[in-house]
């Protein structure tokens, strides 16, 4: 068993990183070489814009290459609750941008010929407690009448045809969701951006962002300083660098994943007949899916802690226990990879994008970023190019989290609260 991301270990390294020294200026500097930044850079370069991407580590090395490989449509939270808060039309528009994100990932894969096992396999939202099953039918009716016309409520034999689990009490199928090898996708997106003319630089940690003389911004790294007309922050839950304003608004939460060895075909048919992306309904839930070679990717908030080699190993043990509960037929399949990553969680689990002090940003995807990051990267690039009305998040307030200055000291308390909620049903 390797303490490493399956996606990163089984994808090629980006081959087009620009060597130092950095260019002295660019029209746009994008900070962050994940899906948001690379999507934005590709779009900008396709419009003839001089763009430089600065990535502190390796391309896709953080959240974009450490997630569950699910590309799901739909909001992280309750559409009805969001509609009560911001109005139905605004909430529905945001829901549709998540749909657009899946469409855009599919389109880019086709346009750029990226070999990443993209497939529209659909998502199964699973009630893994009896108390949750009663919520599914009214939720399905509401979504079907508003934003998700093809949703299906499955129980009984129809549910058994999807998943072999003793803790399956009902489910909703969202057919527009997809899965992919996210490591190969993010590298392919970087290669595509470079082909279009973007300069992508690995190992370029940003240490300062300051107003430039005569306008624009100056972005400083150990490799040099770049004068830019525009800057786009696409850094996620970065706990290093001059991003204090974002850190007060984003809670870095560890998410942990195991990947098994490939499973035999008969076992696949017993445990994951529908080959869907699965997400459970508990507050401290799990998400899982199959890969193209029939590995089980199984993840969740196993522990309310940040990722590190020792934390990943302990979290992997917790995940194996959850896997045995949900999919007991697969409990003895050897684990090949265990890893963790950092989720850029906002207080309301909604992403944020906008401009502050002349700096554009798109972040806070809260564990649902594979598709939304691609859509928002493209939309923020077009916003920088002068198009109006493309940011569905522009009017969302984003106050700082009281008492939070970057280090999530309160995570054990949050974990205890959610465990208590799960115990109550």
């Amino acid at each position: 068993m390797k303490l490493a991301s399956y996606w990163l270990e089984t994808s090629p390294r980006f081959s087009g990183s620009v060597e130092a020294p950095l260019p002295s200026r660019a029209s746009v500097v994008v900070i962050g070489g994940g899906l948001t930044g690379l999507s934005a850079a590709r779009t900008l370069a396709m419009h003839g814009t001089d763009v430089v991407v600065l990535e502190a580590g390796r391309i896709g090395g953080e959240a974009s290459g450490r997630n569950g490989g699910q590309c799901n449509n739909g909001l992280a939270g309750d559409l009805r609750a969001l509609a009560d808060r911001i109005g139905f039309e605004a909430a529905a528009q945001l829901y549709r941008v998540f749909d657009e994100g899946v469409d855009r990932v599919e389109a880019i894969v086709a346009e750029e010929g990226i070999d990443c096992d993209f497939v529209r396999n659909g998502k199964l939202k699973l009630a893994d407690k009896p108390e949750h099953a009663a919520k599914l039918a009214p939720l399905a009716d509401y979504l079907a009448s508003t934003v998700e016309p093809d949703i299906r409520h499955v129980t009984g034999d129809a549910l058994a045809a999807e998943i072999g689990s003793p803790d399956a009490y009902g489910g909703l199928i969202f057919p527009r969701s997809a899965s992919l090898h996210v490591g190969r996708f993010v590298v392919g997106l970087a290669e595509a951006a470079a082909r279009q003319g973007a300069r992508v630089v690995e190992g370029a940690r940003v240490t300062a962002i300051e107003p430039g003389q005569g306008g624009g911004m100056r972005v400083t790294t150990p490799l040099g300083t770049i004068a830019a007309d525009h800057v786009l922050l696409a850094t996620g839950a970065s706990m290093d660098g001059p991003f204090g304003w974002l850190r007060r608004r984003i809670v870095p939460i560890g998410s942990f994943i195991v990947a098994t060895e490939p499973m035999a075909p008969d076992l696949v048919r017993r445990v994951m007949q529908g080959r869907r992306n699965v997400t459970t309904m508990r507050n401290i839930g799990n998400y899982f899916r199959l890969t193209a070679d029939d590995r089980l990717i199984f993840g969740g908030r196993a522990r309310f802690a940040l990722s590190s080699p020792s934390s990943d190993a302990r979290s992997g043990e917790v995940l194996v226990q959850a896997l045995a509960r949900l999919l007991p037929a697969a409990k003895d399949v050897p684990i090949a990879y265990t890893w963790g990553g950092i989720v850029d969680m906002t207080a309301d689990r909604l992403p944020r994008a906008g401009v502050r002090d002349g700096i554009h940003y798109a972040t806070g995807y809260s564990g649902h970023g594979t598709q939304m990051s691609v859509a928002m990267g493209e939309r923020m690039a077009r916003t920088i190019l002068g198009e109006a009305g493309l940011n569905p998040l522009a009017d969302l307030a984003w106050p700082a989290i009281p008492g939070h200055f970057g280090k999530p000291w309160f995570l054990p308390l949050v974990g205890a609260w959610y465990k208590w909620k799960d115990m109550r049903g």
Side-chain angles (χ1 to χ4, degrees), residues 233-280:
L233 289 184
T235 56
S238 176
M239 290 179 284
D240 183 39
F243 314 121
W245 185 83
L246 289 181
R247 276 196 288 272
R248 291 213 59 200
R249 289 157 174 82
I250 291 175
V251 179
I253 292 181
S255 187
F256 304 92
I257 304 174
V258 297
T260 70
E261 296 288 356
M263 296 191 298
D266 63 326
L267 182 56
V268 170
R269 287 190 292 271
R270 290 168 59 195
V271 299
M272 293 284 284
Q273 303 94 311
R275 302 191 70 93
R276 311 282 188 185
N277 301 334
V278 181
T279 62
T280 67

Side-chain angles (χ1 to χ4, degrees), residues 168 170 185 307 331:
F185 176 65
S307 176
K331 65 183 178 66

Side-chain angles (χ1 to χ4, degrees), residues 21-22 25-26 43 57 162 166 176 179 212 216 230 275 339 355 391 398 403:
L22 297 181
R25 71 162 292 105
T43 301
E162 293 288 340
R176 287 182 283 185
S179 66
H230 302 279
R275 302 191 70 93
W339 73 96
V355 58
N391 181 7
W398 199 14

Side-chain angles (χ1 to χ4, degrees), residues 287-318:
Y287 51 89
F288 46 99
R289 51 155 292 203
L290 294 172
T291 63
D293 63 349
D294 290 335
R295 298 174 187 268
L296 182 62
I297 305 291
F298 191 96
R301 314 283 185 264
R303 299 168 59 251
F304 276 72
L306 297 181
S307 176
S308 69
S310 60
S311 182
D312 293 355
R314 291 197 296 273
S315 298
E317 295 171 0
V318 175

Side-chain angles (χ1 to χ4, degrees), residues 279-366:
T279 62
T280 67
M281 293 178 63
R282 297 185 190 222
N283 291 289
I284 304 178
N286 295 103
Y287 51 89
F288 46 99
R289 51 155 292 203
L290 294 172
T291 63
D293 63 349
D294 290 335
R295 298 174 187 268
L296 182 62
I297 305 291
F298 191 96
R301 314 283 185 264
R303 299 168 59 251
F304 276 72
L306 297 181
S307 176
S308 69
S310 60
S311 182
D312 293 355
R314 291 197 296 273
S315 298
E317 295 171 0
V318 175
L319 288 173
V320 168
Q321 295 172 11
L323 188 159
R325 172 180 65 85
L326 281 163
L327 302 171
K331 65 183 178 66
D332 295 324
V333 180
I335 301 300
Y337 298 89
T338 298
W339 73 96
I342 302 297
V343 174
D344 49 342
M345 191 76 71
T346 62
D348 59 6
R349 299 180 70 196
L350 291 177
R352 291 300 193 280
V355 58
R356 178 183 182 272
D357 295 338
I359 300 174
H360 295 81
Y361 60 89
T363 188
Y365 301 111
S366 302

Side-chain angles (χ1 to χ4, degrees), residues 6 23 31 47 58 68 121 123 135 144 194 216 234 237 244 255 259 280 300 315 318 348 358 367 376 386 389 405 419:
Y6 167 74
I31 301 173
H47 284 79
R58 66 177 282 188
N121 57 324
K123 175 181 75 174
K135 302 176 183 179
S255 187
T280 67
S315 298
V318 175
D348 59 6
M376 288 309 302
F405 298 94
K419 287 179 182 177

Side-chain angles (χ1 to χ4, degrees), residues 48-103:
T49 303
D50 179 23
V51 55
V52 174
V53 178
L54 302 177
E55 165 53 46
R58 66 177 282 188
I59 289 300
E62 298 303 326
S64 294
R66 294 181 170 275
N67 55 57
Q70 298 192 13
C71 187
N72 293 330
N73 72 312
L75 299 175
D78 189 304
L79 176 65
R80 289 168 295 192
L82 181 61
D84 290 342
R85 176 182 152 203
I86 67 174
F88 176 77
E89 287 305 321
Q93 180 192 20
L94 190 54
Y95 195 102
R96 288 190 287 269
V97 177
F98 275 86
D99 285 352
E100 173 196 316
V102 184
D103 293 341

